Amino acid sequence: MSYTGKITPVDSFVEWMVKGSNIGFYLGIATSSTELTNPSVFQRCSYTLGVMGKMGLTLGTWYFFVRAFERTRRVDDGINYGIGAGLSISLLHRLWGIKTAELPKEAAIMTIVGWALGEFVLSNKY
């Protein structure tokens, strides 16, 4: 199959934004009682929606770049995942509370982790 006929970067962004929101929903519910002191129902909902937004936007942005680099480079490998992770954290560092001075180190770490995760996922295709 040609790379122009595969899933577009925008399709991938939307798909992974939804998946990330689902992950964020469970993560938000699981951590709301530890992150908030004596939370009301409104506070728990607000916190959970915030986590859903962060996870959805982060994973959506990451997979947008993965698919964009796949179509540009015409290969699906760990490098796409690594570069996508590094760019995503660079764009969204304020959302996650990463200071600008710490950004190069954090982006390098995320690039390496994204590359390793991409290699792992791609080596286990079935």
Side-chain angles (χ1 to χ4, degrees), residues 28 31-32 35-36 42-52:
T31 60
S32 65
E35 294 292 323
L36 304 171
F42 178 76
Q43 287 174 321
R44 281 183 190 239
C45 289
S46 176
Y47 175 80
T48 301
L49 285 172
V51 174
M52 287 173 66

Side-chain angles (χ1 to χ4, degrees), residues 116-126:
L117 182 62
E119 290 294 331
F120 175 75
V121 168
L122 294 173
S123 69
N124 289 316
K125 282 187 177 178
Y126 36 95

Side-chain angles (χ1 to χ4, degrees), residues 53-83:
K54 281 183 181 180
M55 291 299 293
L57 188 60
T58 301
L59 289 179
T61 305
W62 181 33
Y63 265 83
F64 172 83
F65 285 122
V66 168
R67 292 298 166 235
F69 286 121
E70 178 185 344
R71 291 169 68 97
T72 303
R73 297 180 61 234
R74 300 204 183 281
V75 64
D76 189 16
D77 60 3
I79 294 171
N80 297 340
Y81 289 81
I83 294 172

Side-chain angles (χ1 to χ4, degrees), residues 62 65 79-92 103 106-112 114-115:
W62 181 33
F65 285 122
I79 294 171
N80 297 340
Y81 289 81
I83 294 172
L87 285 173
S88 295
I89 203 69
S90 297
L91 289 174
L92 302 173
L103 185 58
E106 296 295 330
I109 291 170
M110 288 305 297
T111 301
I112 293 167
W115 170 78

